[in-house]
Amino acid sequence: MTTLDTATTTGWNAWQESWDRQQEWYMPDREDRFRIMLDMVEALTGTAPRVLDLACGTGTITARLLARFPEATSTGVDLDPALLTIARGTFEGDGRVTFVEADLKDPHWPERLPHDSYDAVLTATALHWLHKAPLAELYGRLAGLVREGGVLMNADHMIDETTPRINAAERAQRHARMDEARRAGAVDWADWWKRAAEDPALAAPTARRFEIYGEHADGDMPSPEWHARTLREAGFAEARPVWCSPSDTLLLALK
């Protein structure tokens, strides 16, 4: 019996694990970006940071943050009712964690936060759902939430359009490996959501989730240079990549 098949009887941790496995099908190096992200949090803000987990999903970053820094606190923000249900179930009773349901395209969403400022804003594999204009606006709002000396880190797909042949070769190899893993039984995005919809605890929030987002959002994936420039224009003093894979980048901006 698989993890997903037993999720309703073994609790929210099983759904967390299944989400991780599904995401790793797309990003085998997923944990590497989280490790570097937390390395830089420690280097720049210490071991007890107040963190905004932006587009938090199931609380993936929050879980790794608290495992490494038990004195940290986290505010998770997301609009997805199904993923927030898993996150709230996972961290229920943990006073270090707060979750806020909010649309990041709403200019007033920061008003829902429990704090006026944060040591670090962390996000991964989420903001590519936004087009450039709303993403630039979001970066401006985040600049107002990060304290002086604090950081924003975004790990996401960031495509350099000046290297089309390299991009094509990387994509072909990545998809060949994904196909191989799929044949070996890996669960993809569509299958994961299908199974979530079959769980009585997630059926209703999953239905609401697809009413909000549809099958998939159609955002942009600008280059690391675009992100760094836009973050500096938004008010950050420094911005550059601190980790990259052939397809993804972890970009750090320092206030």
Side-chain angles (χ1 to χ4, degrees), residues 13-181:
N13 287 337
W15 277 110
Q16 289 283 359
E17 182 179 348
S18 70
W19 178 260
D20 284 344
R21 300 295 82 77
Q22 178 256 126
Q23 289 287 286
E24 286 168 359
W25 180 63
Y26 297 94
M27 298 167 287
D29 51 19
R30 185 169 177 253
E31 293 299 326
D32 291 342
R33 69 198 70 198
F34 294 140
R35 177 178 56 82
I36 298 300
M37 180 180 283
L38 295 182
D39 281 348
M40 298 310 298
V41 167
E42 181 175 6
L44 290 162
T45 72
T47 59
R50 176 190 291 169
V51 170
L52 178 61
D53 185 352
L54 193 73
C56 64
T58 64
T60 297
I61 291 174
T62 292
R64 286 150 181 78
L65 171 77
L66 299 181
R68 179 160 169 178
F69 307 126
E71 296 181 11
T73 58
S74 177
T75 303
V77 177
D78 209 301
L79 184 61
D80 190 312
L83 299 185
L84 279 175
T85 296
I86 296 172
R88 287 173 170 142
T90 301
F91 295 96
E92 185 177 7
D94 191 331
R96 299 171 296 176
V97 184
T98 303
F99 289 105
V100 175
E101 185 171 346
D103 185 348
L104 297 181
K105 291 183 288 187
D106 177 357
H108 302 291
W109 72 264
E111 298 170 11
R112 301 187 182 186
L113 299 176
H115 306 291
D116 294 330
S117 68
Y118 288 84
D119 300 308
V121 175
L122 308 178
T123 187
T125 326
L127 300 189
H128 66 272
W129 285 54
L130 297 175
H131 289 290
K132 286 182 179 179
L135 180 54
E137 292 175 4
L138 176 62
Y139 279 160
R141 294 186 191 103
L142 294 172
L145 289 171
V146 176
R147 66 162 174 82
E148 291 299 318
V151 298
L152 180 153
M153 279 183 271
N154 178 15
D156 209 344
H157 312 309
M158 300 183 187
I159 298 176
D160 186 343
E161 299 293 351
T162 68
T163 58
R165 289 187 296 165
I166 295 173
N167 298 349
E170 181 280 324
R171 186 178 187 278
Q173 183 183 58
R174 174 163 43 89
H175 280 266
R177 290 176 174 172
M178 289 168 65
D179 290 344
E180 182 178 351

Side-chain angles (χ1 to χ4, degrees), residues 237-254:
E238 302 176 13
R240 71 167 177 85
V242 292
W243 173 92
C244 70
S245 72
S247 61
D248 289 11
T249 296
L250 171 59
L251 199 135
L252 184 153
L254 177 66

